[in-house]
Amino acid sequence: MSFPYKKVLIIGATSGIGKALAVKLVENGTQIIIAGRRKENLDEFVQQYGSDNVASKVFDVMQLEQIPQFASDITTTHPDLDCIFINSGIQRPFDFSHPHTIDLTTFNTELTTNYTAAVHLTTAFLPHLQSLPTQTALIYTTSQMALVPMMRCPNYGASKAALHHFILALRTQVAEGPGNVKVLEIYPPAVQTELHDEKHQPDLKNGHLIGMPLGEFVGEVWDRLQAGEEQIAVGSASDLFEAFERKRQGLYVDMTEMLRGVLKQFLK
């Protein structure tokens, strides 16, 4: 198989996993639109790979009220857009044993970036994807911490777990709705990106060296996207997925079918 989508919007493409996957896509002949907060990074990418292959749009996913207009602008300019890759994410440490150190503004920023914005983006772009006659896709980056939390980053794990649960339900719902929308989830382990940089987590030294090399991670993800996999757990995330997540998702399927029967008695 080969990657089936012709034009991909990557939200959160200015660094890390988003940027590396953007490179992989464009180098394999896929038209892309890159979006993120840092205009200089977007401009540099377009200059490197050419405006014939790459379009860009400066956008901050924290601006929730602007997401409908952002989606309208993108789909009007690119009516052939058939894949949305929602990748934006931040990670911050919180120690609730010392509650006076908790910055709830930072907490809410992380929650909005990692979860709430993804839901808003999904809602805004789904009508376009459902309207196309061909197969389309929503791709999300979650985390191995969507499956098992880490004490150091309780809000990161919680936000990614929320997104993971949303994705499971979304996949079931859109399969029964209009169009042909696939819902894909990528579960990274720790990967060597600026997510762990001292700028963002000042108590870490050389945090960008934590985890799997970015090139190795993206190489595996790309191979599995081409193979048509809908759930891509890599490295230690794969170990967790195989240990219990397959069984848990089986229970989800069983519960969904049971609830369908129960709800038939109560739905108007």
Side-chain angles (χ1 to χ4, degrees), residues 9 33 57-59 66-79 81 124-125:
L9 168 64
I33 307 145
K57 181 80 169 177
V58 177
F59 189 71
Q66 296 180 19
I67 286 176
Q69 188 61 54
F70 168 67
S72 178
D73 291 346
I74 292 290
T75 55
T76 299
T77 307
H78 303 277
L81 176 69
F125 279 102

Side-chain angles (χ1 to χ4, degrees), residues 112-187:
T112 299
T113 302
N114 294 353
Y115 176 62
T116 310
V119 176
H120 282 244
L121 289 161
T122 300
T123 305
F125 279 102
L126 253 178
H128 168 76
L129 296 178
Q130 290 175 320
S131 74
L132 295 181
T134 57
Q135 180 178 302
T136 61
L138 286 157
I139 306 177
Y140 301 84
T141 302
T142 59
S143 169
Q144 68 180 2
M145 282 190 267
L147 307 178
V148 174
M150 183 172 74
M151 181 185 71
R152 172 184 169 81
C153 303
N155 191 42
Y156 183 83
S159 62
K160 291 295 188 177
L163 182 56
H164 171 57
H165 280 222
F166 173 76
I167 290 166
L168 290 180
L170 176 70
R171 184 180 292 119
T172 305
Q173 291 180 357
V174 300
E176 300 172 358
N180 182 13
V181 184
K182 300 298 182 184
V183 178
L184 284 64
E185 183 173 1
I186 299 169
Y187 307 78

Side-chain angles (χ1 to χ4, degrees), residues 194-255:
E194 66 175 37
L195 192 73
H196 314 113
D197 270 0
E198 194 171 327
K199 177 175 66 173
H200 306 305
Q201 303 195 48
D203 59 326
L204 294 178
K205 182 179 180 181
N206 295 322
H208 64 284
L209 299 178
I210 293 173
M212 176 182 284
L214 179 59
E216 179 183 341
F217 168 77
V218 170
E220 179 173 340
V221 169
W222 176 245
D223 289 345
R224 294 171 66 180
L225 284 171
Q226 289 185 298
E229 293 187 37
E230 291 187 357
Q231 299 196 71
I232 301 173
V234 179
S236 53
S238 179
D239 296 337
L240 296 172
F241 192 92
E242 296 301 330
F244 64 86
E245 181 61 18
R246 286 195 187 279
K247 180 178 179 180
R248 196 172 74 101
Q249 290 191 24
L251 294 172
Y252 160 72
V253 171
D254 293 343
M255 180 175 288

Side-chain angles (χ1 to χ4, degrees), residues 105-119:
T105 299
T106 301
F107 183 97
N108 288 330
T109 297
E110 183 177 44
L111 181 61
T112 299
T113 302
N114 294 353
Y115 176 62
T116 310
V119 176

Side-chain angles (χ1 to χ4, degrees), residues 36-37 58-64 66-67 113:
R37 292 181 295 107
V58 177
F59 189 71
D60 182 355
V61 298
M62 284 293 295
Q63 307 302 315
L64 298 178
Q66 296 180 19
I67 286 176
T113 302

